[in-house]
Amino acid sequence: MLKGNFPIENFKDLRTPFYYYDLGLLSRTLDEVRRQLSQHPDYHMHYAVKANFNPRLLEMIAASGMGADCVSGGEVEAAVKAGFAPSDIFFAGVGKSDEEIRYALGVGIGRFNVESLAELNVIDEIAASMGKVAPVSLRVNPDIGAHTHANITTGLAENKFGINHDVLEDIIRHCLTLNHVAYKGLHFHIGSQILDMSDFAALCNRINEITARLERHSLPVGDINVGGGLGIDYHHPNHLDMADFASYFATFRKHLMVKNGTPVHFELGRSIVAPCGSLICRVLYVKEGSYRQFAIIDGSMTELIRPALYKAYHRVENLSSHEPEEVYDVVGPVCESSDVFAKSYSMDKCHRGDFIAIRSAGAYGEAMASQYNLHALPSSYYHK
Ligand SMILES: *Cc1c(COP(=O)(O)O)cnc(C)c1O
């Protein structure tokens, strides 16, 4: 079994489970995104902070020149602390509280991505009370499905996100009458872990229809934010350690019709940070069940909930053993039947104390960790 190249001699004294971050890989990924963006001067990247708000990673991403896409006041605060310029911070989300809106206006963020008429009016009121003008984009629900897990599509009419496109024109007209919001553009986001570029092409076509309609009615379009969602290959982290950024940007280049000079914003999260992270655990016990054997590890859904929440696949590697493979259910200690990382999974024969790497866990891993069962939050190890 081909395995990642982990310095396990350094793991001996560390308390498992912990997150291992390959900062070299993150750095190469940021370089590649920057290289791609340099070919498209109107394209701008805002890293989706919710994928991983580990301060060390955030600082590297801020230093690479990206902006930040946030979905809470706490994320805005973390982004400011990590060094993102407030004007490069965007704030999205269907349920922004008054306190979060006030805080974001106070630090002078670059954009509110507004998801309803009610929210637009509240932002206008709060901005008025502070003597400010809030820069806003309207998040449009494009009613487009993506070929991904049902729980992570966001652009269907049935989803809670965004403004339905049939009322968009009325809301833009209303927005233009408000004195404390400034209309700046349109925002879209169709989902996550998208590998089929035709989903992004469909989004572009829908955006083209919407902007053409606005122009016909002499309404402003402003800039375009296409959201995030580019997927990674969870199955082959040792062969493909970077998302296909070239095909991704080429798809927008080919299909998105915008006037020259129109800024186009991207909000990638997963594809930037997922490959560089692994959850490192130890085998506690190997247990013979009546139908299968279990490798019971000390990591669980409290450190990495994606398998339990979305039935997500992560490659699992035994870093300590080089014995012939056996078949295991790889499970954690939490009192939930869904606390399973892999079922009927072949990996090198396990022994108590072996190090196990759960790969491609840099996105929606540490950020979603909980203390359920009163587990400690995971610590981190950074590899340069
Ligand atoms: C989650 C989210 C993103 C990032 O999605 P990824 O799949 O991690 O790239 C971008 N924009 C918005 C509005 C989001 O909610």
Side-chain angles (χ1 to χ4, degrees), residues 69-272:
D69 162 51
C70 299
V71 292
S72 72
E75 286 189 3
V76 173
E77 198 175 342
V80 171
K81 217 177 266 171
F84 290 94
S87 59
D88 290 333
I89 296 175
F90 290 4
F91 184 11
V94 289
K96 303 176 188 75
S97 73
D98 294 18
E99 193 186 343
E100 290 175 313
I101 293 167
R102 219 172 279 125
Y103 171 72
L105 279 167
V107 299
I109 64 158
R111 197 69 56 90
F112 289 85
N113 291 328
V114 173
E115 305 220 10
S116 65
L117 176 60
E119 181 195 336
L120 184 66
N121 288 330
V122 167
I123 292 176
D124 181 62
E125 269 168 41
I126 294 176
S129 75
M130 295 172 72
K132 294 192 181 268
V133 176
V136 302
S137 287
L138 299 178
R139 176 166 179 180
V140 185
N141 185 321
D143 198 14
I144 286 188
H147 297 98
T148 184
H149 192 287
N151 290 358
I152 51 178
T153 66
T154 57
L156 284 171
E158 67 191 54
N159 296 133
K160 68 182 174 183
F161 300 100
I163 292 166
N164 283 341
H165 50 90
D166 49 350
V167 294
L168 176 64
E169 293 172 37
D170 289 341
I171 295 185
I172 293 178
R173 281 194 194 95
H174 174 70
C175 189
L176 295 173
T177 68
L178 298 173
N179 291 324
H180 293 273
V181 296
Y183 174 82
K184 297 285 184 186
L186 300 174
H187 176 227
F188 302 83
H189 176 65
I190 54 172
S192 200
Q193 185 51 19
I194 297 167
L195 291 166
D196 185 341
M197 293 300 134
S198 68
D199 290 337
F200 292 117
L203 170 64
C204 291
N205 292 335
R206 181 56 55 88
I207 295 173
N208 296 341
E209 283 166 29
I210 291 170
T211 56
R213 204 173 68 208
L214 295 182
E215 276 160 9
R216 262 199 320 276
H217 295 173
S218 306
L219 286 168
V221 172
D223 58 24
I224 302 288
N225 183 328
V226 298
L230 176 62
I232 64 148
D233 186 336
Y234 280 96
H235 288 266
H236 306 101
N238 299 315
H239 300 287
L240 291 166
D241 64 0
M242 221 182 273
D244 188 355
F245 296 109
S247 301
Y248 175 71
F249 290 115
T251 301
F252 287 92
R253 190 67 169 181
K254 179 163 174 210
H255 295 279
L256 186 64
M257 311 291 182
V258 288
K259 289 206 191 87
N260 254 343
T262 301
V264 179
H265 299 283
F266 296 85
E267 300 172 331
L268 296 179
R270 181 192 309 274
S271 51
I272 291 172

Side-chain angles (χ1 to χ4, degrees), residues 301-322:
M301 64 191 283
T302 62
E303 291 81 35
L304 178 62
I305 200 175
R306 300 187 65 254
L309 192 59
Y310 311 126
K311 294 202 177 350
Y313 174 91
H314 286 267
R315 184 177 162 87
V316 181
E317 294 172 357
N318 184 341
L319 303 180
S320 303
S321 163
H322 298 280

